[in-house]
Amino acid sequence: MNEVKATHKCYKCGMCMFHCPVYSVYRNEVYSPKGKINAIDSIINTKRNNPDDLSGIFRECNLCHHCTKICPAEIDKTELVIKYRAQLNKTKPVGNYEAILSNIKKNGNPYSSNGGLHKNATKTQGIEKEKNRTLLFIGCTIRHKLPEIVDSVVSFLDKSGIDFTVLDDEPCCGNILNNLGFIQDARIIAKRNISILNKFDKIITLCPGCYNMLKSHNGSAGAKFEVNHILEIIHKARNQLESNLKEPVFFQVPCHIYNTDKKFEKIIPDVMSIFKQASTSLDVTNAPKCCGAGGGMPLYDKEYVMKRLDILLQNEPAQNIVTACPFCYLNFKKLESRQVSYITENLDITGDIKIDLRSTDESFQNFTQNKEEKVNLPMILVKYKASSKLKKIFNQ
Ligand code: SF4
Ligand code: SF4
């Protein structure tokens, strides 16, 4: 929906405001989703174009999709925010992104000036080179900020009987660039990634951002791989999994996957039932409450993020927080009073399991029937064998 249609369709009902994490902190309609629609309306009709005035409005957004999900007019505010961030980036970027842009362009990831921990890990003993058509796409945030998570993921996939590979030089998926409004740069990265990733049948991601970005390449962009988030794999194995956390758990549902792909409305409650005493960030409308980490907000409004965490957890007694999103993980880690973990760090497998990775997605099955012959995989692919050694490897 273009912005003119969106402003005409808006009923000004304000329902979106009361589900917006930014509004919950600032209590100012200007920064709410309704305020963003009003700003777009005035840009179109009064040619309002003061970048100082507008950049705050489009910067203050977690891109959590709550406002889209509950909107009776089905207006996608997230898409509009990214579009206006892109406009503002031409004159006054909504934040200081130079380091991120330069890192992605020079080093292939937003965080590091070198190849990163994962690249070092592939050179070490205990990792066997092998061809495989299922790729574990680790994602830049976990590779560079939370490598300790990888150990538990590899262990879980190994014990589940899944053969997989990882890429020695895994590319950035481009989601961060897209969310910050560098849409053209993200498209260039997507095009390059498709040629690398089309060598796989299936890609397992650990990050909702990677999931959405890689999934968006299917169809018109020419990608031929199926994308799964790790929650889908856990869901397949749920009857043979139990949590090693005996205390109550607060399950932080990742907005960027629950609100964008309906299948997770079924998958996530099933997965949560593994944690017997779990409470959840789902609210009365069954929408997840955002932790405040999305949309680049920790880059330019740290105070907002801390206030949002306070609001989210104000009546929550559980000390253990479990999530399946690296951005939520990093955000909750700021709280010294709570323990945060990635979901695979808390799972014990009871008995032997062999997860069937065949697609249950009909549209994907039809699509793959016409798929051309695969080319041989490059030798940069490796398969993790000795998962127990990974923590040691990453600490080197
Ligand atoms: S919920 Fe939708 S229709 Fe209502 S004010 Fe928000 S954008 Fe407009
Ligand atoms: S996407 Fe989330 S943070 Fe942004 S305006 Fe909508 S509800 Fe608020």
Side-chain angles (χ1 to χ4, degrees):
M1 188 187 301
N2 71 31
E3 55 265 55
V4 177
K5 261 196 193 155
T7 54
H8 286 164
K9 274 190 84 177
C10 176
Y11 304 126
K12 312 287 182 209
C13 64
M15 277 173 68
C16 51
M17 281 196 336
F18 300 103
H19 294 270
C20 172
V22 173
Y23 184 75
S24 80
V25 169
Y26 288 126
R27 295 281 158 192
N28 183 342
E29 186 177 319
V30 169
Y31 298 115
S32 75
K34 185 181 170 195
K36 289 169 179 34
I37 294 285
N38 289 341
I40 292 168
D41 198 21
S42 71
I43 291 167
I44 294 167
N45 292 313
T46 66
K47 307 289 178 223
R48 173 185 175 189
N49 62 3
N50 180 348
D52 290 328
D53 160 33
L54 294 171
S55 92
I57 295 172
F58 294 105
R59 182 187 62 204
E60 299 292 332
C61 178
N62 286 122
L63 304 178
C64 65
H65 299 265
H66 291 318
C67 53
T68 300
K69 200 163 183 174
I70 54 97
C71 175
E74 298 179 346
I75 301 167
D76 186 346
K77 269 76 73 188
T78 309
E79 189 188 351
L80 292 172
V81 167
I82 293 174
K83 193 170 178 179
Y84 277 86
R85 284 180 174 184
Q87 288 292 332
L88 284 161
N89 283 343
K90 291 177 191 161
T91 50
K92 184 179 171 65
V94 295
N96 183 1
Y97 305 134
E98 270 173 34
I100 289 178
L101 286 172
S102 144
N103 272 337
I104 291 178
K105 282 178 184 166
K106 280 196 210 142
N107 309 310
N109 77 82
Y111 303 113
S112 169
S113 58
N114 59 45
L117 291 164
H118 175 60
K119 187 171 180 175
N120 293 342
T122 63
K123 292 176 186 161
T124 56
Q125 203 182 348
I127 298 170
E128 185 185 328
K129 286 186 179 171
E130 194 175 313
K131 294 175 182 177
N132 200 288
R133 288 182 176 176
T134 296
L135 172 70
L136 171 61
F137 192 90
I138 295 170
C140 299
T141 304
I142 291 182
R143 285 178 61 197
H144 295 276
K145 297 271 187 189
L146 298 164
E148 65 273 17
I149 287 176
V150 182
D151 189 35
S152 68
V153 174
V154 170
S155 176
F156 168 71
L157 293 176
D158 269 349
K159 285 181 191 163
S160 304
I162 294 174
D163 291 324
F164 62 95
T165 61
V166 292
L167 281 170
D168 192 5
D169 288 310
E170 184 185 282
C172 172
C173 73
N175 184 251
I176 288 181
L177 282 179
N178 189 64
N179 286 352
L180 296 179
F182 297 97
I183 300 170
Q184 288 308 326
D185 296 283
R187 280 191 189 139
I188 292 167
I189 284 184
K191 203 170 167 197
R192 183 201 63 196
N193 285 353
I194 288 167
S195 66
I196 297 169
L197 301 177
N198 261 349
K199 299 170 179 97
F200 300 97
D201 291 327
K202 188 172 277 282
I203 296 177
I204 299 170
T205 72
L206 307 178
C207 170
C210 300
Y211 173 84
N212 284 322
M213 198 66 193
L214 297 180
K215 206 156 183 209
S216 73
H217 302 341
N218 283 122
S220 59
K224 296 170 183 173
F225 44 81
E226 185 184 21
V227 186
N228 286 142
H229 185 269
I230 191 78
L231 281 168
E232 293 172 79
I233 313 298
I234 292 169
H235 186 250
K236 281 176 188 269
R238 66 192 181 284
N239 294 333
Q240 281 126 306
L241 296 176
E242 59 183 38
S243 165
N244 54 28
L245 288 171
K246 301 303 167 209
E247 302 82 24
V249 161
F250 176 73
F251 196 97
Q252 175 63 20
V253 177
C255 313
H256 291 88
I257 207 163
Y258 190 93
N259 286 341
T260 60
D261 194 330
K262 273 191 97 54
K263 71 182 167 195
F264 288 98
E265 291 178 14
K266 163 88 179 95
I267 287 172
I268 288 178
D270 283 350
V271 168
M272 279 188 323
S273 67
I274 299 168
F275 300 88
K276 291 194 176 65
Q277 295 165 286
S279 59
T280 168
S281 64
L282 292 177
D283 72 10
V284 283
T285 64
N286 234 10
K289 294 183 198 159
C290 176
C291 73
M297 290 289 272
L299 290 173
Y300 37 65
D301 197 344
K302 292 182 172 47
E303 205 182 326
Y304 159 78
V305 173
M306 295 315 291
K307 284 183 180 163
R308 179 61 201 154
L309 284 171
D310 277 351
I311 291 171
L312 180 63
L313 295 174
Q314 61 192 346
N315 296 316
E316 178 52 55
Q319 294 302 302
N320 289 295
I321 296 165
V322 174
T323 187
C325 168
F327 289 97
C328 297
Y329 186 113
L330 280 173
N331 212 26
F332 284 109
K333 229 180 159 185
K334 293 171 187 146
L335 302 172
E336 285 172 11
S337 55
R338 314 258 179 167
Q339 295 291 320
V340 59
S341 52
Y342 192 77
I343 185 164
T344 46
E345 294 181 291
N346 306 120
L347 296 177
D348 286 338
I349 295 179
T350 56
D352 292 333
I353 53 174
K354 176 83 184 160
I355 295 176
D356 183 358
L357 277 183
R358 274 175 302 181
S359 177
T360 49
D361 184 338
E362 239 175 65
S363 60
F364 181 76
Q365 284 170 347
N366 292 339
F367 179 71
T368 52
Q369 278 168 8
N370 301 322
K371 194 154 63 164
E372 64 201 25
E373 263 307 296
K374 293 287 172 109
V375 295
N376 282 339
L377 299 178
M379 286 308 287
I380 56 168
L381 303 181
V382 294
K383 179 181 184 298
Y384 281 121
K385 271 287 184 201
S387 57
S388 59
K389 292 181 183 167
L390 276 179
K391 200 164 266 172
K392 200 170 143 215
I393 290 165
F394 278 120
N395 286 335
Q396 281 175 358

